[in-house]
Amino acid sequence: VGDAVFCKRAWEGGVSLVLNGRSMAPKVSKKEDWETLNTDADARLPAAHSLIFLVNSALLAAAPAYLFSAIFDLSPEENMPVYGGVGAVTVAIVFLALQTRAKGVRTKLLRSRGVELESTSALKLKDAGDERVKAKLKEADKQRALINAEALSLSMAHTNALFLFVTVLMAFWIMRASNAPVNLAISSVSASVAAYMIR
């Protein structure tokens, strides 16, 4: 009898352990929609903007090169390393300046006009069942596209004007007593840094 009672209690204890183990197992909760959102698009510029900025940066870097070859008689054939090195540095810094300024302008315009971010619109569109809500979200997409275009134009206008102004200032006044290669390097790099730093 004692063995039977012991076995019964052992069996009941085993069952209770299994049940407790099941009840204590962690439950995997389903992620909310906002947790799976991709917010990278909110900070990213359209790919076409990057291409335009790269072309614009190359053209800006070519402006001092043309200036020094035409006015200061700095031969491109004899000074190709100088032109190449200065041009590469100028293109890189001006490209960063254009992107940074465009993102800043876009953020200010989005806030001032009360336009929702792309991730917020995507979340609302996912749960939208009303056609009026969908229409409002599509209108927000159009407004964001216009703001992106404005940010592109404003960043290019500001950066280009500042770069060219500082280049002429450095080349013809501040660095005019130095030799042409040094003048080109300092003028171009200084202008690109000024375009990046001055917001």
Side-chain angles (χ1 to χ4, degrees):
V1 176
D3 292 340
V5 172
F6 175 78
C7 292
K8 181 179 180 182
R9 290 179 178 177
W11 182 81
E12 290 175 350
V15 172
S16 65
L17 285 174
V18 172
L19 292 175
N20 289 337
R22 288 179 180 175
S23 63
M24 293 175 63
K27 294 182 179 180
V28 180
S29 59
K30 184 180 178 181
K31 286 188 175 182
E32 298 293 337
D33 290 339
W34 62 268
E35 293 180 299
T36 59
L37 278 179
N38 181 15
T39 58
D40 293 340
D42 295 336
R44 209 168 38 228
L45 292 171
H49 284 36
S50 297
L51 180 60
I52 294 172
F53 287 156
L54 184 60
V55 173
N56 183 85
S57 301
L59 292 175
L60 274 185
Y66 175 78
L67 177 70
F68 276 81
S69 64
I71 298 178
F72 292 90
D73 295 326
L74 187 63
S75 173
E77 291 81 9
E78 298 175 1
N79 298 276
M80 188 57 65
V82 176
Y83 279 110
V86 172
V89 172
T90 301
V91 168
I93 299 176
V94 170
F95 181 79
L96 289 176
L98 287 166
Q99 280 204 321
T100 304
R101 184 167 289 109
K103 289 178 181 180
V105 171
R106 184 182 63 175
T107 300
K108 291 179 181 178
L109 291 176
L110 286 172
R111 289 176 180 173
S112 63
R113 299 178 186 179
V115 180
E116 293 178 338
L117 296 175
E118 187 173 342
S119 60
T120 306
S121 293
L123 180 60
K124 289 184 177 181
L125 185 61
K126 186 175 181 180
D127 298 328
D130 191 352
E131 291 299 327
R132 288 179 298 178
V133 176
K134 292 182 178 180
K136 286 182 66 175
L137 294 176
K138 289 181 180 179
E139 181 63 27
D141 289 338
K142 292 180 181 179
Q143 291 180 5
R144 280 195 300 273
L146 290 175
I147 287 175
N148 283 334
E150 288 184 43
L152 172 71
S153 302
L154 290 173
S155 64
M156 288 179 60
H158 186 278
T159 303
N160 293 355
L162 186 58
F163 178 85
L164 294 174
F165 173 76
V166 175
T167 298
V168 172
L169 179 67
M170 294 291 294
F172 289 99
W173 279 276
I174 299 176
M175 298 297 300
R176 62 181 178 180
S178 61
N179 58 41
V182 174
N183 191 346
L184 171 64
I186 295 179
S187 299
S188 296
V189 175
S190 298
S192 59
V193 170
Y196 178 77
M197 296 297 294
I198 300 175
R199 305 294 171 83

